[in-house]
Amino acid sequence: MSPIVTGLLGLIPGLILGWLFVKKRSQAEAEKTAQEHQQNIEQLEADQAERLEALREEIKSEQDTEEEALKGQIAEVKERASALAEEEKSLKAARQKLNSELGRVQSQTESMTRKEDQLQRQIESMEAREGELETELERVAGLTRDEALKQLEEELRDRAHERAAAELRRIQQQGQEELREASAALLAKAVFRYGGEVIQEITTTAVHLPSDDLKGRIIGREGRNIQSFEEATGVDVIIDDTPGIITLSSFSPLRRLIAHEAMTRLLRDGRIHPTRIEESVAKVRKAVDRSLRQKGEEAAAEVGVQGLDGAVLDLLGKLSIHQVNGQNQLHMALSAARLAERLAAELDLNPKPCRRAALLSLIGCAADHQMEGSTADITVALARRHGESKKVLAALEDLTTESGPRSTTGIVVQLATKLAASRPGVQSEQLAESIERLEALEQMALEEEGVRQAHVLQAGTEIRVLVDPAEVSEGKLMALAQRLVRKIEDRADRLGEVQVHVVRETRVTETAM
């Protein structure tokens, strides 16, 4: 047999066996699938049966719940009906009780009306009686009702003023003591802290520069310019980091004035070198001397003093740049001359020597660094050197003696100089202006109700007010003083502290026959 036939014969049994195996397997799978379908159907039927049973139970439960709710609602309706019946019974009882109360209230109202009428009649009777008593009281007391009320009101007001014034006085005294202690401490601290600054302000003068670049030109090469300026003027030139300012320091106000004018001219001219500095200082010194001489001549002419030596006029002019205790010495000398003239006229003395001596009483201040001795001694020496009269010299010598003046002129001059030095503001104002200011203080006091007289004392530092005791009571004095103080603070052109004294005096005069 050929190999092909042999292969085919061997393949046929295999195919038959494979077909049988596949067929058997397919039958087994079909049976298995049928069983699974049958199980699924049975499971589905069981599930549907369970669902139907659960639905049946749920419907039954809901029906039971609704029945219970209906039963509860029926019971609640029955209870409400019973409660309404009870309320209706109670309302009927309350209505009956209210009707009885209304009847009782009506009877009480009628009784109250009768009592009110009776009380009204009693009130009318009492008012009539009160009018009779008031008329009788006015007849006995001699005062009407309004007058009595006004008198009582005034007495109460006076008592209140007295108590308020006493309390205010106590508070003021306590406040003044505390203020005095605090001010003393503050003044001590201020003097300690700022004493150096005050000295610096008195002995220095500032020069403002257009640009800080000028500081280098003022110093010059190797400091030649500043050394030349200091030698020519006798002042110290202080150049520091302060922008736009240099400081001129010297104890002499004349030197500072010359240095300030010379530096101003040099800065304006722009040419700063030793030769130009010396020329500028020389020109400024001559110009300042002429200006001071002119001021001295104007001062002498202002008070009518003639025939003064040129050197004395120079010294008078130099007084205009001297400050002592914050007061310009030339103004102070002019004020002393005016006061001496007025005092001499009041005493029927010759005013010329008094006025002349008072004007020259301070010229020693302008030369005290050139001569030895006190200001008064230097003044006498200068007056004697420049040919003043014996009366003027005697008056000036009286200012140097500790035992007091020996001549009438000396008394007048000494009194005038003390007044000029002590009166606030006298150096800067004319006598007429001062008198007007004092009269204004008196007028302010006289404007107050009940003020009889007012006197200004101590050159305007004290005002004494006399009141009418019939119009101003004791309790109103403090209030009046406070009003005057506020008025002076608000309106017066005052200089320094002004004390207000209010005096109430009662005088009784009888005549013995």
Side-chain angles (χ1 to χ4, degrees), residues 154 156-166 473-476 478-479:
E154 290 179 354
L156 292 176
R157 187 183 296 108
D158 291 341
R159 291 180 183 177
H161 279 302
E162 291 176 0
R163 292 181 180 178
S473 63
E474 192 73 24
K476 296 180 180 179
M478 179 61 70

Short mmCIF file of all heavy atoms in Angstrom, two decimals, residues 154 156-166 473-476 478-479:
data_model
loop_
_atom_site.label_atom_id
_atom_site.label_comp_id
_atom_site.label_asym_id
_atom_site.label_seq_id
_atom_site.Cartn_x
_atom_site.Cartn_y
_atom_site.Cartn_z
N GLU A 154 -32.50 136.00 96.23
CA GLU A 154 -31.23 136.71 96.37
C GLU A 154 -30.41 136.16 97.53
O GLU A 154 -29.19 136.01 97.44
CB GLU A 154 -31.50 138.20 96.58
CG GLU A 154 -32.03 138.90 95.33
CD GLU A 154 -32.32 140.36 95.60
OE1 GLU A 154 -32.21 140.77 96.78
OE2 GLU A 154 -32.66 141.09 94.63
N LEU A 156 -30.53 133.09 98.75
CA LEU A 156 -29.99 131.78 98.35
C LEU A 156 -28.82 131.95 97.38
O LEU A 156 -27.82 131.23 97.46
CB LEU A 156 -31.09 130.94 97.71
CG LEU A 156 -32.21 130.48 98.65
CD1 LEU A 156 -33.29 129.75 97.86
CD2 LEU A 156 -31.66 129.58 99.74
N ARG A 157 -28.95 132.92 96.45
CA ARG A 157 -27.87 133.14 95.49
C ARG A 157 -26.61 133.64 96.19
O ARG A 157 -25.49 133.22 95.88
CB ARG A 157 -28.32 134.14 94.43
CG ARG A 157 -27.31 134.29 93.28
CD ARG A 157 -27.72 135.35 92.28
NE ARG A 157 -28.95 135.01 91.60
CZ ARG A 157 -30.12 135.62 91.80
NH1 ARG A 157 -30.21 136.61 92.67
NH2 ARG A 157 -31.20 135.25 91.14
N ASP A 158 -26.78 134.55 97.17
CA ASP A 158 -25.61 135.06 97.90
C ASP A 158 -24.92 133.94 98.66
O ASP A 158 -23.69 133.85 98.70
CB ASP A 158 -26.05 136.17 98.86
CG ASP A 158 -26.49 137.42 98.12
OD1 ASP A 158 -26.11 137.56 96.94
OD2 ASP A 158 -27.21 138.25 98.71
N ARG A 159 -25.74 133.08 99.31
CA ARG A 159 -25.14 131.96 100.03
C ARG A 159 -24.38 131.03 99.08
O ARG A 159 -23.27 130.57 99.39
CB ARG A 159 -26.22 131.17 100.76
CG ARG A 159 -26.86 131.93 101.93
CD ARG A 159 -27.92 131.08 102.61
NE ARG A 159 -28.59 131.83 103.68
CZ ARG A 159 -29.59 131.34 104.41
NH1 ARG A 159 -30.03 130.09 104.17
NH2 ARG A 159 -30.14 132.07 105.35
N ALA A 160 -24.98 130.78 97.91
CA ALA A 160 -24.30 129.92 96.93
C ALA A 160 -23.00 130.57 96.44
O ALA A 160 -21.97 129.90 96.29
CB ALA A 160 -25.23 129.65 95.74
N HIS A 161 -23.03 131.90 96.21
CA HIS A 161 -21.81 132.60 95.79
C HIS A 161 -20.73 132.52 96.87
O HIS A 161 -19.55 132.32 96.57
CB HIS A 161 -22.13 134.06 95.49
CG HIS A 161 -22.72 134.29 94.13
ND1 HIS A 161 -22.08 133.90 92.97
CD2 HIS A 161 -23.90 134.84 93.73
CE1 HIS A 161 -22.82 134.22 91.93
NE2 HIS A 161 -23.94 134.78 92.36
N GLU A 162 -21.15 132.69 98.13
CA GLU A 162 -20.17 132.63 99.21
C GLU A 162 -19.53 131.25 99.30
O GLU A 162 -18.31 131.12 99.43
CB GLU A 162 -20.85 132.98 100.54
CG GLU A 162 -21.29 134.45 100.63
CD GLU A 162 -22.04 134.74 101.92
OE1 GLU A 162 -22.21 133.78 102.71
OE2 GLU A 162 -22.45 135.89 102.13
N ARG A 163 -20.36 130.21 99.22
CA ARG A 163 -19.80 128.85 99.27
C ARG A 163 -18.90 128.58 98.07
O ARG A 163 -17.81 128.01 98.21
CB ARG A 163 -20.93 127.82 99.33
CG ARG A 163 -21.72 127.87 100.63
CD ARG A 163 -22.82 126.81 100.63
NE ARG A 163 -23.59 126.84 101.87
CZ ARG A 163 -24.62 126.04 102.13
NH1 ARG A 163 -25.00 125.14 101.21
NH2 ARG A 163 -25.26 126.13 103.27
N ALA A 164 -19.36 129.00 96.88
CA ALA A 164 -18.55 128.78 95.68
C ALA A 164 -17.25 129.56 95.75
O ALA A 164 -16.18 129.06 95.37
CB ALA A 164 -19.34 129.18 94.43
N ALA A 165 -17.32 130.80 96.26
CA ALA A 165 -16.10 131.61 96.36
C ALA A 165 -15.12 131.00 97.36
O ALA A 165 -13.91 130.97 97.12
CB ALA A 165 -16.46 133.03 96.78
N ALA A 166 -15.65 130.50 98.49
CA ALA A 166 -14.76 129.87 99.47
C ALA A 166 -14.09 128.63 98.89
O ALA A 166 -12.89 128.41 99.05
CB ALA A 166 -15.56 129.51 100.73
N SER A 473 -21.94 141.79 97.35
CA SER A 473 -21.85 141.09 98.63
C SER A 473 -20.47 140.46 98.79
O SER A 473 -19.65 140.43 97.86
CB SER A 473 -22.92 140.01 98.71
OG SER A 473 -22.72 139.03 97.71
N GLU A 474 -20.23 139.94 99.99
CA GLU A 474 -18.92 139.34 100.29
C GLU A 474 -18.67 138.11 99.42
O GLU A 474 -17.54 137.85 99.01
CB GLU A 474 -18.88 138.94 101.77
CG GLU A 474 -17.49 138.57 102.27
CD GLU A 474 -16.59 139.79 102.43
OE1 GLU A 474 -17.12 140.91 102.60
OE2 GLU A 474 -15.37 139.60 102.39
N GLY A 475 -19.74 137.37 99.13
CA GLY A 475 -19.56 136.16 98.33
C GLY A 475 -19.28 136.41 96.86
O GLY A 475 -18.85 135.51 96.14
N LYS A 476 -19.54 137.64 96.38
CA LYS A 476 -19.33 137.94 94.97
C LYS A 476 -17.94 138.51 94.67
O LYS A 476 -17.63 138.78 93.51
CB LYS A 476 -20.38 138.95 94.50
CG LYS A 476 -21.81 138.42 94.55
CD LYS A 476 -22.78 139.48 94.07
CE LYS A 476 -24.22 138.97 94.12
NZ LYS A 476 -25.18 140.01 93.67
N MET A 478 -14.89 137.16 94.94
CA MET A 478 -14.02 136.25 94.18
C MET A 478 -14.45 136.19 92.72
O MET A 478 -13.61 136.21 91.81
CB MET A 478 -14.05 134.86 94.81
CG MET A 478 -13.18 133.84 94.08
SD MET A 478 -11.43 134.28 94.06
CE MET A 478 -11.05 134.04 95.79
N ALA A 479 -15.77 136.12 92.48
CA ALA A 479 -16.25 136.07 91.09
C ALA A 479 -15.89 137.35 90.34
O ALA A 479 -15.50 137.31 89.16
CB ALA A 479 -17.76 135.85 91.08
#
